[in-house]
Each structure stands twice: as C-alpha cells, then as structure tokens.
Amino acid sequence: MTKTTTLENVINAVRQDSINHFDEVMSVHEMEFDSLKQMWISGKQVDVAPTAQRLLSNRLRVPYSYLSRCPEDLQARNLNFWIEQERQRRDTFFCRFDGSTLRAVFTERYKPLDNMEILAQLIEQCFNHNLKVQYSLDHGMFLLKIPEFEKTFGVNSGNGFFDEVVPGIAFSNSEVGLIAFSIESFFYRLVCTNGLISVARAKTARFKHISSRGLDNFPEALSAVIEGSSRNQEDFKLSCQSHVDDPFNSIDVFSRRFGLSQNEADIVKQSFEQEPGNTLFHIINAFTASAKVEGLATADVYKFEKAGGQILSLVKS
C-alpha cells in the first residue's frame, strides 16, 4: 500500500527493512533441498522466500506452478535432481539473504543495486530530507514517487470542474529480480490521489541489474525524465476528449494488452463504477484508482499505475 510521508522517514524505513540483509557467493555443490520452502546451503538450513522459490524454479527450469502443487518430498526430488544438472554448468550462485532466509538467487553476472543506494543518490542530488513523498515497500519491490507541486496543471475531465494533476518523478527497484531499476515520470490527481506511472512521451530511464549504469548515469537520467514529463500534459487534455463507446470492453482489451489477469480487470471495473464516464480519461482513472485497493503488493500497485501510463501513451494528437 502506498504511504505519504517525508523522504527522511522513507530512508529510515528502508534502512530498517534491510538491517539483516547480506549477500554471499555460495557453492552450488553445497546446496540441497528439503522442499521448495527449505534447503541447506554450506551445511546451514535456510528458509526459501517466495521470491527465491520462483528464481530457483526458473533457474533450474522446473515450472513454479507445478512445483508449488507438489508434496514436499516430490519438490525435493525434482529440485535436487535439477540442481545436480546445474552443477555441471556452474560452480556458484550469487545469493541474497535476509537473516536466515534466502530471498534471491542469481548468477554472478548480477550486479546488486540496493534501495538505500538509490536514496543516497537522491540526497547527493540535493533532495530535501523533509520533502513530501509517496512510497510503497515490501519484500519484492520498492516504489518511491516525488511530486512536483509547483508544476501542477489543470485538465477538464468533463465533470464540470478542472482536475488538478501533479507531475513528478517515480523510482522503482527490486533487490530480488522482479523488475529493473527505473526512473520515470508520474502524475497524480489531487482530488483522489490516484497515481499514474507514465510511459508516454516523457523520457524513461531503465537499468538492468547487470552493470553499474543505474548509479553512474543517475544525474543525467533524472534530468532527462524531469525535462520530458511536461510533454505529457497535452496527452491528459486529449484523453478527456477521447470518447469511449464501451468502457467495460475497453477495460478488458487494455487489461489483456498490458498483462493484467481477469481478477485484476474486474478490480479495474469496480474502480470505474466509482467514477464512471465515457472518455479515455475515465478509463485511465479506473486503472490508477485500482492501485489503492487494500492489501496490494508493491508490484501490483506499480502494475495498475503503469497500465494507466501505457494507456495514456496511446492518446493521439
């Protein structure tokens, strides 16, 4: 769930979240599974977090959907057989731990970029500790959004008044391989605080975790995104003029196009019913409003807001 607080409080929250994090290069020859959720590494028994379960399943080429439905003894037989095959190809894995829990497994090609490093870059770029920000943080992903209130603009959503839209910058990162590190423009409506991660004409900087480019190019990427976000204002205005004949069908089409499940599409339809309308603006609003549903993981918040931005990118002038 997204929270509003100060940048300093976010730094403290991320620091506390990572207090037991550490990384080690571990021998594949010293790995053995009791089940999908528990294994031995170099003589020590460790729990396997869901993020690491999926990474191991992918690495060993055993479908997670299959393994997760197997009894523990069958999970162990499958995983131990395939880890033996993996030993013929490599000697080590780069492992990320949270105390006695394995949270991620990568090859040594992986270059870690931790959430605290991103926050340190923001302080280096003179962002104020007391700056008002929005953030979401869990075991899988970190999402930080910094509004630029001085750049607020108005759009006529067709409801008889002007909506105030606040542009800003969004930083997203996963220490466990869910997504690449990204710097993107974002927008949110003051009237309802819906957020939208934009992939429209604004510049987006995305860095895979295989080099240090994310930190090396941080100032330039940040400047480019800030400069480019102003180009999206016209898209918002045009979305208010783009008529939609069948909103629910449009929601289904966009959901399939941008990788949402049927359950997630149903959530978007419920959000649409809270503020219905017959323009693309209302469709976008329904997707972004869905990101405020209670209990969502950070990755799901990002998915809904990103889908809103992807729809905005389709607006034609």
Side-chain angles (χ1 to χ4, degrees):
M1 182 177 178
T2 301
K3 301 175 183 178
T4 300
T5 186
T6 64
L7 182 58
E8 182 173 11
N9 287 339
V10 175
I11 292 172
N12 291 334
V14 171
R15 182 180 290 118
Q16 184 62 36
D17 180 72
S18 60
I19 196 167
N20 293 317
H21 290 180
F22 67 95
D23 303 327
E24 282 192 40
V25 176
M26 309 299 293
S27 172
V28 179
H29 299 271
E30 297 181 4
M31 294 183 176
E32 185 176 354
F33 292 89
D34 290 337
S35 67
L36 182 59
K37 296 180 179 179
Q38 200 165 61
M39 66 183 296
W40 294 81
I41 302 178
S42 298
K44 295 181 180 180
Q45 192 175 47
V46 299
D47 294 326
V48 184
T51 48
Q53 292 172 25
R54 290 183 178 275
L55 287 168
L56 282 164
S57 297
N58 290 338
R59 174 60 54 189
L60 300 179
R61 294 175 293 280
V62 188
Y64 176 80
S65 58
Y66 162 73
L67 274 179
S68 60
R69 291 183 285 112
C70 291
E72 290 187 351
D73 61 332
L74 185 54
Q75 290 175 353
R77 288 204 299 273
N78 272 280
L79 291 166
N80 286 323
F81 174 83
W82 289 108
I83 197 75
E84 179 63 36
Q85 313 310 307
E86 191 70 15
R87 290 171 188 144
Q88 300 174 26
R89 288 185 285 272
R90 71 182 73 254
D91 294 323
T92 59
F93 278 141
F94 180 86
C95 298
R96 314 208 78 182
F97 292 91
D98 182 1
S100 61
T101 298
L102 179 66
R103 63 189 186 116
V105 176
F106 302 102
T107 67
E108 289 191 66
R109 184 168 177 252
Y110 176 85
K111 302 296 182 185
L113 174 58
D114 291 339
N115 301 326
M116 280 302 301
E117 295 180 272
I118 296 168
L119 292 168
Q121 282 288 324
L122 291 178
I123 298 305
E124 190 173 315
Q125 298 301 315
C126 299
F127 283 79
N128 193 297
H129 282 78
N130 295 320
L131 190 66
K132 185 179 179 182
V133 301
Q134 300 173 355
Y135 86 103
S136 183
L137 173 68
D138 57 29
H139 65 276
M141 186 175 164
F142 174 50
L143 177 60
L144 175 68
K145 295 177 284 189
I146 302 179
E148 297 180 281
F149 291 101
E150 69 279 6
K151 296 181 180 179
T152 299
F153 61 94
V155 295
N156 186 350
S157 62
N159 295 325
F161 60 90
F162 272 82
D163 269 317
E164 289 187 304
V165 178
V166 182
I169 316 150
F171 304 86
S172 53
N173 186 52
S174 175
E175 298 180 345
V176 294
L178 295 184
I179 61 166
F181 166 54
S182 297
I183 307 175
E184 302 165 285
S185 60
F186 105 100
F187 302 84
Y188 82 97
R189 295 174 66 201
L190 282 178
V191 68
C192 60
T193 68
N194 290 358
L196 177 151
I197 305 294
S198 175
V199 294
R201 297 178 190 32
K203 177 74 173 176
T204 296
R206 183 169 290 105
F207 304 97
K208 294 182 179 180
H209 293 82
I210 56 174
S211 73
S212 60
R213 286 181 57 242
L215 292 181
D216 296 342
N217 297 334
F218 193 96
E220 295 82 1
L222 180 60
S223 297
V225 171
I226 292 173
E227 180 182 351
S229 67
S230 61
R231 302 171 192 166
N232 293 104
Q233 296 185 20
E234 186 62 28
D235 292 339
F236 269 98
K237 296 171 183 176
L238 290 171
S239 73
C240 297
Q241 303 165 15
S242 301
H243 181 78
V244 176
D245 292 323
D246 188 341
F248 286 105
N249 181 64
S250 295
I251 289 171
D252 283 330
V253 171
F254 286 135
S255 295
R256 289 192 297 270
R257 178 167 181 171
F258 300 122
L260 275 67
S261 67
Q262 184 57 56
N263 181 59
E264 290 166 335
D266 291 340
I267 292 174
V268 175
K269 291 175 183 177
Q270 292 170 16
S271 299
F272 177 81
E273 290 175 337
Q274 300 301 311
E275 191 176 344
N278 59 357
T279 70
L280 199 58
F281 180 89
H282 294 92
I283 301 296
I284 293 169
N285 185 67
F287 277 85
T288 58
S290 300
K292 298 194 297 182
V293 171
E294 291 286 338
L296 289 181
T298 304
D300 295 323
V301 171
Y302 182 78
K303 180 188 288 187
F304 282 120
E305 294 182 344
K306 186 78 170 182
Q310 289 170 314
I311 298 168
L312 183 64
S313 72
L314 302 176
V315 172
K316 304 295 184 183
S317 57

